[in-house]
Amino acid sequence: MTIHSLPARTDAPARTPDEKPVRRGGRRLLRERAGRQHHAGPLAYVLLVIMAILSIFPLYWTMVAASTDNTRVSQTPPPFLPGPNLFSNLARAWDEAAMGKAMINSLIVAGVIALSTVMFATLAGFAFAKLRFKGRNVLLMLVIGTMMVPPQLGVVPLFMMMSELGWSQQLPAVIFPTLVSAVGVFFMRQYLSEALPDELVEAGRVDGAHSLRIFWSIVLPVARPAMAVLFMITFVHAWNDFFWPFVVLDMTNPTVPVALTQLSAGYVRDQSLIMAGALLGTLPLLAMFVVFGRQIVSGIMAGAVKG
């Protein structure tokens, strides 16, 4: 009986001379290295501590200056330890600058602007990133081009428009001109271009969903991390905005930055009182970061992993 040898397999990939087979031990070692947690060295901790101190020092100095009197703040060297007048200066700043009404106004203005910017920017970003229509690139270039125009050039016509609408010295005059920003549109467009697969949009089309349904059911869950970041950035910017609210509002209906100008009025400026007002205006932002900071960071990390 003749035994015929089996033909050699031709579907196996040819191995180049430089390649070496990976043994089971090598594979196990690679898996162990991939799952191993990396630890930072002492230099990394030192740099992180230094950066944390540099970041916290302005807030600490504001508290120190707000807790002393004007004479002590002006001395050389300045004080580096808190004084006994913190709560009394905070109470004076709260009363003289009408900080209660100013904080309510700033909360309304910043909240409405942040919510509208997030919603409109996400809609426009989805359209520019995933929808196909004539003139899309031209419109996107026009949106980006508005970022290059200094906002001071539009102050006079914008103020005239608000006066014609009867919104002068009212909060809608601050809110409506900033309901959406070109930076937010561009930010969401870039994020959705990378994080939202075209296959998801096409699957929604196949299932018979229209554009708004796709936006609500598919785009919003994917865009949630970027929306959280954009909301935080827009809220902080609207809260700290001074130029346009100072132009269109007065001291009877101010936001926090406009109200703080009342503390610097007079021939002699009380620096400790001004710092106390600045500390009051900063506390709501700090509270928001403490409450929502972990959710925002986790959302960013989730979006990075999905991308």
Side-chain angles (χ1 to χ4, degrees):
M1 182 176 60
T2 305
I3 299 177
H4 299 281
S5 59
L6 295 175
R9 293 182 59 184
T10 59
D11 56 346
R15 182 179 299 164
T16 60
D18 296 335
E19 291 182 347
K20 295 181 179 180
V22 181
R23 299 180 180 178
R24 294 181 179 178
R27 293 177 181 175
R28 184 172 60 254
L29 181 61
L30 290 176
R31 287 196 298 267
E32 291 177 356
R33 290 181 178 178
R36 187 182 304 169
Q37 185 178 4
H38 298 280
H39 297 279
L43 180 60
Y45 285 105
V46 172
L47 293 177
L48 289 175
V49 170
I50 293 175
M51 293 301 298
I53 293 175
L54 293 177
S55 301
I56 297 174
F57 181 76
L59 180 62
Y60 175 76
W61 166 248
T62 302
M63 185 187 66
V64 171
S67 62
T68 58
D69 53 20
N70 197 31
T71 304
R72 184 71 181 93
V73 173
S74 304
Q75 291 180 354
T76 304
F80 288 98
L81 295 177
N85 302 327
L86 177 60
F87 294 103
S88 60
N89 288 339
L90 291 177
R92 286 178 54 203
W94 182 275
D95 294 334
E96 294 186 16
M99 291 296 293
K101 185 174 184 179
M103 284 191 176
I104 294 175
N105 289 342
S106 289
L107 184 61
I108 295 173
V109 170
V112 173
I113 291 175
L115 289 174
S116 64
T117 299
V118 168
M119 185 56 62
F120 291 141
T122 307
L123 276 168
F126 167 61
F128 284 126
K130 298 300 176 180
L131 300 184
R132 301 292 182 265
F133 55 91
K134 292 183 179 180
R136 184 185 65 169
N137 295 330
V138 176
L139 289 176
L140 181 60
M141 290 299 103
L142 289 176
V143 171
I144 297 175
T146 59
M147 299 166 56
M148 306 177 186
V149 180
Q152 291 80 3
L153 295 180
V155 169
V156 174
L158 190 59
F159 183 81
M160 295 174 61
M161 186 184 301
M162 294 299 106
S163 298
E164 290 293 331
L165 293 174
W167 289 347
S168 181
Q169 314 302 333
Q170 298 181 17
L171 295 183
V174 182
I175 295 174
F176 277 87
T178 52
L179 285 178
V180 67
S181 64
V183 177
V185 173
F186 182 73
F187 174 76
M188 294 305 302
R189 187 262 179 189
Q190 294 299 106
Y191 180 85
L192 291 175
S193 297
E194 300 294 333
L196 180 62
D198 294 334
E199 291 77 8
L200 286 179
V201 180
E202 295 300 329
R205 297 290 187 192
V206 171
D207 292 339
H210 51 78
S211 297
L212 290 180
R213 179 65 178 178
I214 292 174
F215 175 79
W216 183 262
S217 302
I218 298 176
V219 177
L220 286 183
V222 175
R224 190 175 295 130
M227 293 171 66
V229 176
L230 182 60
F231 179 88
M232 178 67 70
I233 295 174
T234 307
F235 187 92
V236 173
H237 181 268
W239 182 278
N240 294 327
D241 189 20
F242 170 76
F243 180 70
W244 176 242
F246 182 75
V247 172
V248 78
L249 297 179
D250 57 9
M251 291 301 172
T252 61
N253 195 29
T255 57
V256 170
V258 177
L260 291 180
T261 59
Q262 186 69 20
L263 300 178
S264 60
Y267 293 102
V268 180
R269 296 182 177 180
D270 193 341
Q271 297 296 334
S272 60
L273 188 62
I274 295 174
M275 290 297 180
L279 185 61
L280 285 174
T282 308
L283 289 178
L285 297 180
L286 293 177
M288 187 175 64
F289 274 107
V290 171
V291 174
F292 299 107
R294 180 174 297 179
Q295 287 79 1
I296 292 175
V297 172
S298 62
I300 296 173
M301 297 303 296
V305 173
K306 292 180 181 178

